[in-house]
Amino acid sequence: MSAKGEDSDTEKLIKDTAKKVFFKEGRFNATTQEIADAAGVNRTLINYYFRSRDNLFNLVFEDAQKKEDERIHALVFSDMPLKRKIEMFLDEFFTQAKEYPYLEIYMVTQMNQGSCYEDAEAMSRLLDKMYLEIAIEMDKGNVARMRPEQFMLNMISLTSFPVSMRPLLEQSMGFSTEQFDKLLEERKEIILNMLFIN
Amino acid sequence: MSAKGEDSDTEKLIKDTAKKVFFKEGRFNATTQEIADAAGVNRTLINYYFRSRDNLFNLVFEDAQKKEDERIHALVFSDMPLKRKIEMFLDEFFTQAKEYPYLEIYMVTQMNQGSCYEDAEAMSRLLDKMYLEIAIEMDKGNVARMRPEQFMLNMISLTSFPVSMRPLLEQSMGFSTEQFDKLLEERKEIILNMLFIN
DNA sequence: TTTTGTTTTGACAAAAATGTCAAACTAAAA
DNA sequence: TTTTAGTTTGACATTTTTGTCAAAACAAAA
């Protein structure tokens, strides 16, 4: 069969499985054999569909990055007040974190290895829009005065850190999975209260 | 020579170099050959002194973890008011982050791969002491009411995230090394203001 | 049924990385 | 100087992982 442009079943199966192995299970160093086993296919099919292991890795990575970028973009350029945007961001973020606990940390380790950000222009526009809205809220007295960059850093830190460091935190702070889920649930409110004054 | 218990020169050289390669340069997948080259020694000396690559990795990791644990412990059980402790913690943290930018993130990836925390008992006592002091500050009205665990999470998030994610943040937010250093410097004040009310 | 093009497979080759070993080297002690 | 014990080295073996290829299997079209 193989309609042009459309992934064959096995091709998609392999990609999905790789995503699962990386982002759901956190096994970033999984070998092609392990991925093939997890997908229940012959290992060489990975070469057949993706040429090389590196290729598969990059593809999965870029896919995930692109999707996240799109979601963020839609939110930032939507027609909502800043606080509401951040509220929705928190929701999305924690939801996705539950599905793919290792996605964030993977992006960072990738970045550390030299993988570089794709569309710096788009990111720059997005940040500028946020900085502007943040500045306006500061003028209104809804947000403590600081460089907007610091506000962004605060927001992303308070949100992302507990998610990416979850395994470490669960272990060192002695939480069960359920307890930590509850903790994250509570955090939405707490984070909003820390970011906004009223 | 080799007095018992004392590392030979080369042994120490290899360990130090490994630490540098991992934590200063973030090359977590460096091969034994690369480490040997960086240290300017024959590769097999790694086997001679450390049996296996895994052994060296674990040793370096546990060493760093132990040192960090000791510093934190000394701080927490010192005789200072909470705010002062946190102030010093921030200083130490950012200082070390400058020397070993990749140490934090390495700990996490290690933890993700199944490496498990050594002394759960000690950590538990340390956390309890912190929780108690935090609760007291809440009673005094110096800290917003919430579960002390959330306060801890806030503190460590605001501090650790910008450090561990530095490469990603520099790239995506478009900061130079100098700019980011300055940003971190500013953060000490900002974090304290977010954590404490007055 | 034969043909055709794609998909799948196992055997094999190649590459990359780790680990072992005996011999060479070194420097202090006898 | 000889001995001795620890250190260093290069050659080699092993292991692990990746990539190639020709042949087999498959399914739709002729």
Side-chain angles (χ1 to χ4, degrees):
Chain A
M1 201 93 325
S2 99
K4 307 135 200 167
E6 187 193 312
D7 292 358
S8 79
D9 284 355
T10 13
E11 185 171 354
K12 184 158 168 35
L13 174 66
I14 291 173
K15 226 191 320 190
D16 289 349
T17 307
K19 186 173 183 181
K20 195 174 95 184
V21 169
F22 299 152
F23 301 156
K24 263 183 169 17
E25 301 168 15
R27 296 163 49 207
F28 304 142
N29 291 336
T31 66
T32 51
Q33 185 64 66
E34 288 172 314
I35 293 170
D37 287 349
V41 303
N42 189 292
R43 178 177 65 81
T44 54
L45 283 180
I46 291 178
N47 294 96
Y48 179 70
Y49 284 112
F50 303 96
R51 292 183 62 95
S52 73
R53 178 182 166 281
D54 261 17
N55 237 279
L56 172 59
F57 273 51
N58 291 336
L59 231 150
V60 172
F61 175 51
E62 279 159 23
D63 245 48
Q65 198 179 41
K66 206 172 123 195
K67 271 188 199 161
E68 194 173 305
D69 283 358
E70 282 166 4
R71 272 205 310 278
I72 301 264
H73 188 273
L75 241 177
V76 168
F77 286 93
S78 73
D79 187 25
M80 291 188 283
L82 181 63
K83 191 170 182 179
R84 180 86 190 107
K85 281 182 192 176
I86 292 180
E87 227 177 301
M88 294 202 59
F89 169 73
L90 291 178
D91 263 326
E92 277 201 22
F93 202 94
F94 286 132
T95 303
Q96 155 149 315
K98 229 171 173 172
E99 176 142 29
Y100 296 108
Y102 294 94
L103 202 146
E104 279 289 304
I105 201 91
Y106 180 75
M107 294 216 170
V108 177
T109 48
Q110 280 295 311
M111 208 61 84
N112 285 351
Q113 308 298 324
S115 227
C116 122
Y117 212 76
E118 33 198 47
D119 193 347
E121 258 309 307
M123 176 55 83
S124 179
R125 276 194 301 275
L126 188 144
L127 282 174
D128 283 344
K129 175 142 174 64
M130 284 298 288
Y131 293 158
L132 189 68
E133 291 187 29
I134 292 166
I136 290 174
E137 292 298 319
M138 286 181 186
D139 286 343
K140 288 193 202 157
N142 295 331
V143 167
R145 279 238 167 263
M146 66 185 80
R147 293 174 59 185
E149 290 94 335
Q150 297 281 11
F151 180 92
M152 283 290 287
L153 222 45
N154 288 339
M155 181 188 76
I156 187 72
S157 298
L158 290 167
T159 314
S160 177
F161 184 86
V163 161
S164 359
M165 305 288 179
R166 178 164 184 159
L168 184 132
L169 291 169
E170 277 189 4
Q171 184 134 90
S172 61
M173 299 180 84
F175 284 113
S176 71
T177 309
E178 297 76 29
Q179 289 174 316
F180 203 85
D181 275 339
K182 209 174 145 202
L183 208 73
L184 287 185
E185 198 54 43
E186 285 178 22
R187 278 193 78 69
K188 286 181 204 165
E189 191 69 22
I190 289 177
I191 293 175
L192 283 176
N193 285 338
M194 291 196 73
L195 293 177
F196 291 88
I197 282 175
N198 72 343
Chain B
M1 203 100 314
S2 98
K4 307 134 200 169
E6 189 194 309
D7 293 358
S8 78
D9 283 355
T10 13
E11 185 172 353
K12 185 155 168 36
L13 174 65
I14 292 174
K15 227 190 323 192
D16 289 348
T17 306
K19 187 173 184 182
K20 193 174 97 184
V21 170
F22 298 152
F23 301 155
K24 263 183 168 16
E25 301 168 15
R27 295 162 52 204
F28 303 143
N29 292 336
T31 65
T32 50
Q33 185 63 67
E34 288 172 315
I35 294 169
D37 286 350
V41 304
N42 189 292
R43 180 177 63 81
T44 54
L45 283 180
I46 291 177
N47 291 307
Y48 179 71
Y49 285 112
F50 303 96
R51 292 184 62 95
S52 73
R53 178 181 167 281
D54 261 17
N55 236 280
L56 171 60
F57 274 51
N58 291 337
L59 230 150
V60 172
F61 175 51
E62 281 158 21
D63 245 50
Q65 198 178 42
K66 206 172 124 197
K67 271 187 200 161
E68 194 172 306
D69 282 359
E70 282 167 3
R71 272 205 311 277
I72 301 265
H73 188 274
L75 242 177
V76 169
F77 286 93
S78 73
D79 187 25
M80 292 188 282
L82 181 64
K83 192 168 181 178
R84 182 87 190 105
K85 281 182 191 176
I86 293 180
E87 227 177 301
M88 292 201 61
F89 169 74
L90 291 178
D91 264 326
E92 277 201 21
F93 203 94
F94 286 132
T95 302
Q96 156 149 315
K98 227 170 174 173
E99 176 142 29
Y100 295 108
Y102 293 94
L103 201 146
E104 279 290 304
I105 201 90
Y106 180 75
M107 294 214 169
V108 178
T109 48
Q110 281 294 312
M111 208 60 85
N112 285 351
Q113 310 295 326
S115 228
C116 125
Y117 212 77
E118 31 198 46
D119 194 346
E121 258 309 308
M123 177 55 82
S124 178
R125 275 194 300 275
L126 187 144
L127 282 174
D128 283 344
K129 176 142 173 65
M130 284 298 288
Y131 293 158
L132 189 67
E133 292 187 28
I134 293 166
I136 289 174
E137 292 298 319
M138 286 179 186
D139 285 343
K140 287 194 203 156
N142 295 332
V143 167
R145 279 238 167 263
M146 65 185 80
R147 292 175 58 187
E149 289 94 337
Q150 296 282 11
F151 179 91
M152 282 292 286
L153 222 44
N154 289 340
M155 179 187 76
I156 186 74
S157 298
L158 291 167
T159 314
S160 178
F161 185 87
V163 161
S164 3
M165 306 288 177
R166 177 163 186 161
L168 183 131
L169 292 169
E170 277 189 3
Q171 185 134 88
S172 61
M173 300 178 84
F175 284 114
S176 71
T177 309
E178 295 75 31
Q179 288 173 316
F180 204 86
D181 275 340
K182 207 173 147 201
L183 208 73
L184 287 185
E185 198 53 44
E186 286 179 21
R187 278 192 78 69
K188 286 181 203 164
E189 191 68 22
I190 289 178
I191 294 175
L192 283 176
N193 286 337
M194 292 197 71
L195 293 176
F196 291 88
I197 282 175
N198 71 342

